[in-house]
Amino acid sequence: MPTDDASPDPDFSIRRLWYLRGVRAAFSVPGLILASAFIGFAGLAKEAGLTLVQTVFMVGMVWALPAKVVLVGAILSGTSLPAAAFAVALSSIRLAPMVVALVPEMRGPRTPRWVLYFLSHFVAVTSWVLAMERLRGIPRDLRTSYYAGLGSTLVLVNMVVVGVVYVLADSLPPVVSAALFLLTPMYFLTSLWGSARERAGHIAMAIGLVLGPLLHLVVPGFDLLGAGLIGGGIAFAFHLLSRWRVKS
């Protein structure tokens, strides 16, 4: 009997199914909170004098919200291009451990490296938290398809949100924009706390919450860096001590 050459490849059909499941996962409470934060960013970008095209392009290319805020702040202060690029890169270094933790969870026995490099662009706190919570329940060969749907949808939806809000920014009260923008750090804190798999992560966040305001009074320019180094160092030492106790 003749075969139907137009029938879909079973492997492609399964990957498309998991891609669509990733798309659906993006439409969640975390995704809604992230979109609300981008509402505030759209107003900030417009106040900085960025055009609609520049603002939407920034969302797609830079993606991580804190890095975009750093870039807009550099623009407002008249910082040179190399200095602005360095500041954005420095703020994005925090994503490197997330990529290192997520890539092994996504990698399958047949996953090309270029796919992992491409998907790393979508790594930010929201997509990382959602992926780390759900990837272990997905067949390893299909995890990249799922994350591609999740990450790309978060980016594209927020590009649309920023574009619409940019046009309507003049009618949005500044207080509302600021309040929506502050939802993001609150969500990041609660999500990271809930997704932490070891007590060391909770210790690092608790110490950071205490040291952050204190160091801001002493060394305002290095408060976040100092809190991160001290809190992370103490938490790592606690982790090593806990492992040593278990082995002994």
Side-chain angles (χ1 to χ4, degrees):
M1 296 179 63
T3 58
D4 184 6
D5 294 336
S7 60
D9 180 11
D11 186 60
F12 174 78
S13 299
I14 296 174
R15 289 188 176 277
R16 181 177 61 184
L17 174 62
W18 280 100
Y19 177 88
L20 294 176
R21 290 183 179 180
V23 171
R24 184 174 61 186
F27 293 94
S28 57
V29 174
L32 179 62
I33 295 175
L34 181 64
S36 68
F38 271 92
I39 293 175
F41 168 74
L44 177 66
K46 189 168 186 177
E47 289 294 325
L50 295 176
T51 66
L52 174 61
V53 174
Q54 290 171 339
T55 303
V56 174
F57 179 80
M58 187 185 298
V59 175
M61 292 296 103
V62 180
W63 177 222
L65 186 56
K68 287 193 288 292
V69 174
V70 170
L71 181 56
V72 172
I75 293 172
L76 288 172
S77 61
T79 305
S80 64
L81 182 59
F86 177 75
V88 172
L90 191 62
S91 72
S92 298
I93 289 177
R94 64 193 173 81
L95 300 177
M98 295 183 183
V99 175
V100 171
L102 183 60
V103 166
E105 297 290 338
M106 289 195 298
R107 183 190 295 120
R110 298 178 299 172
T111 306
R113 288 188 177 183
W114 70 265
V115 173
L116 298 174
Y117 295 150
F118 174 73
L119 294 180
S120 296
H121 174 70
F122 300 126
V123 174
V125 174
T126 300
S127 61
W128 185 84
V129 169
L130 290 173
M132 293 298 286
E133 288 178 351
R134 304 177 185 184
L135 281 183
R136 293 192 175 184
I138 300 172
R140 183 166 287 275
D141 284 344
L142 301 170
R143 292 179 181 181
T144 51
S145 300
Y146 179 87
Y147 188 74
L150 171 65
S152 63
T153 301
L154 287 173
V155 173
L156 292 174
V157 167
N158 284 289
M159 290 175 70
V160 173
V161 168
V162 167
V164 173
V165 174
Y166 184 96
V167 175
L168 303 176
D170 293 335
S171 60
L172 192 66
V175 176
V176 175
S177 298
L180 291 171
F181 193 78
L182 287 175
L183 283 176
T184 297
M186 295 301 297
Y187 162 69
F188 285 173
L189 177 62
T190 55
S191 298
L192 290 173
W193 185 276
S195 63
R197 299 176 180 176
E198 298 179 351
R199 188 175 298 274
H202 294 153
I203 292 175
M205 284 184 275
I207 295 175
L209 285 173
V210 175
L211 287 181
L214 295 178
L215 292 178
H216 180 72
L217 298 176
V218 181
V219 282
F222 299 92
D223 46 354
L224 292 179
L225 180 61
L229 289 175
I230 296 173
I234 295 175
F236 183 65
F238 173 84
H239 174 69
L240 293 178
L241 180 61
S242 299
R243 291 181 60 183
W244 177 78
R245 288 179 176 177
V246 170
K247 291 180 179 179
S248 61

